[in-house]
Amino acid sequence: MTDTSEARSLGSSEVARTLGVSQVTLRTWEKRYGIGAAQREDNNRRRYTPEDVERLRRMRALQAQGTSARDAARLVLSRSAAETTVRRRRERLAEAAESFDLPTIGGLVDDAFTSLGVAKTWTEVVAPVLRVIGERWAEHDDRQAMVAEWALATTASAAIDRYAAPAAALPGSAPVLFVCGPTERHELPVKMLSAALSDDGAAAAFLSGPVSVDVLRAMSARFAPRDVVVWSMTAQSADVRFLRVLSAEGVPVRPAGPGWHGLPTVGEPLPPSFAAALGVYSS
């Protein structure tokens, strides 16, 4: 019995001839922009569905009108976003992370931001993939999983920088400032939270890198923030003294993240769930 979906799919050479491009170009588009074949054979050869071919046709048409390949791919993916399920997004992102394919990861996260917004991209696409990879790393000491987690976290962080408004353009009305604890290196969850608030039109900014007390003093004096949220993923980075020094000087600090659990913190902790934390400042 013939598999109907397989009968309707095409190989790379057929698609290349149909579109008038080389197979190398097809592979480049997939790697760089995340637009390509939805299926793979057991030997990892690409199989293109009619929907895949139609997306590539639209990309070629946009290029013929003078649109760059990157912008053409983004427009095509955005147009077909309604047809792309969240589950499929997770699958493609996991595949790219496991392959350490940074350009494809970046394209997929960029498209998810544009199509779904930051909050849904994090809670329904990126975070679930990171969780599965992280669990495999923790349970089996899988070095492949360790690198996949790094690839996804690093590339998603860069995607936020491309998507979100720069921190220098802080709104005039009491913003919320987000920083990591002095030695915290797991910045992605709080960076996503800050970007999600900005995406919703709230006044928020993430201050990247190690941020000293002196910097926060100056930022607080300049912008009079509603809160300075200090994120710690691990207990090792949860510096209670850091909170106390800022609080004693009138900086409205709030701890956030599991690293603070059980510690004598200063300020009201943010709720542990992403949605609840978002609701604190979105209302």
Side-chain angles (χ1 to χ4, degrees):
M1 183 174 178
T2 303
D3 186 325
T4 304
S5 63
E6 180 66 17
R8 295 176 62 238
S9 66
L10 301 176
S12 296
S13 61
E14 296 170 286
V15 174
R17 284 197 302 272
T18 299
L19 298 177
V21 300
S22 70
Q23 293 183 62
V24 172
T25 296
L26 292 178
R27 290 195 295 272
T28 299
W29 286 351
E30 186 167 326
K31 272 194 166 186
R32 290 184 181 175
Y33 314 123
I35 183 167
Q39 300 173 355
R40 289 286 196 279
E41 294 178 332
D42 292 341
N43 59 9
N44 207 35
R45 289 182 179 174
R46 293 167 174 80
R47 300 298 301 180
Y48 294 79
T49 66
E51 292 78 13
D52 295 333
V53 176
E54 179 57 29
R55 279 192 287 271
L56 292 168
R57 284 186 194 278
R58 292 202 298 265
M59 182 166 173
R60 286 284 285 156
L62 286 167
Q63 285 184 293
Q65 297 168 27
T67 306
S68 70
R70 180 176 295 277
D71 287 343
R74 188 169 297 175
L75 287 168
V76 169
L77 289 171
S78 177
R79 177 177 169 180
S80 61
E83 305 164 7
T84 305
T85 65
V86 167
R87 179 179 177 181
R88 180 59 185 149
R89 289 180 187 276
R90 286 197 297 265
E91 290 171 348
R92 293 185 68 200
L93 193 62
E95 290 167 3
E98 295 290 353
S99 302
F100 316 139
D101 186 349
L102 304 188
T104 297
I105 296 171
L108 292 169
V109 177
D110 286 343
D111 176 57
F113 281 159
T114 302
S115 305
L116 306 177
V118 176
K120 194 169 182 178
T121 295
W122 173 248
T123 58
E124 298 189 21
V125 181
V126 177
V129 174
L130 280 171
R131 190 176 305 117
V132 170
I133 294 173
E135 287 171 355
R136 199 175 83 238
W137 178 14
E139 292 174 9
H140 305 291
D141 194 25
D142 186 334
R143 296 300 178 89
Q144 176 96 356
M146 176 185 69
V147 181
E149 184 180 70
W150 168 85
L152 178 50
T154 301
T155 311
S157 180
I160 295 172
D161 294 335
R162 290 191 294 273
Y163 180 81
L170 285 170
S173 59
V176 183
L177 302 182
F178 293 87
V179 299
C180 287
T183 61
E184 182 57 64
R185 295 295 177 265
H186 298 84
E187 67 175 28
L188 188 58
V190 70
K191 192 172 182 179
M192 282 280 187
L193 178 58
S194 175
L197 283 170
S198 296
D199 205 30
D200 285 348
F206 175 74
L207 309 183
S208 62
V211 181
S212 68
V213 169
D214 288 338
V215 168
L216 287 175
R217 286 190 188 112
M219 294 291 285
S220 295
R222 170 68 178 82
F223 295 106
R226 175 178 173 181
D227 282 322
V228 173
V229 177
V230 183
W231 168 264
S232 286
M233 184 79 174
T234 63
Q236 289 78 9
S237 69
D239 188 340
V240 175
R241 181 178 173 277
F242 188 78
L243 291 179
R244 287 177 175 167
V245 168
L246 290 169
S247 180
E249 298 186 11
V251 177
V253 292
R254 293 190 76 165
W260 299 106
H261 182 70
L263 297 178
T265 55
V266 177
E268 183 182 356
L270 276 189
S273 80
F274 188 90
L278 193 61
V280 169
Y281 296 116
S282 295
S283 56

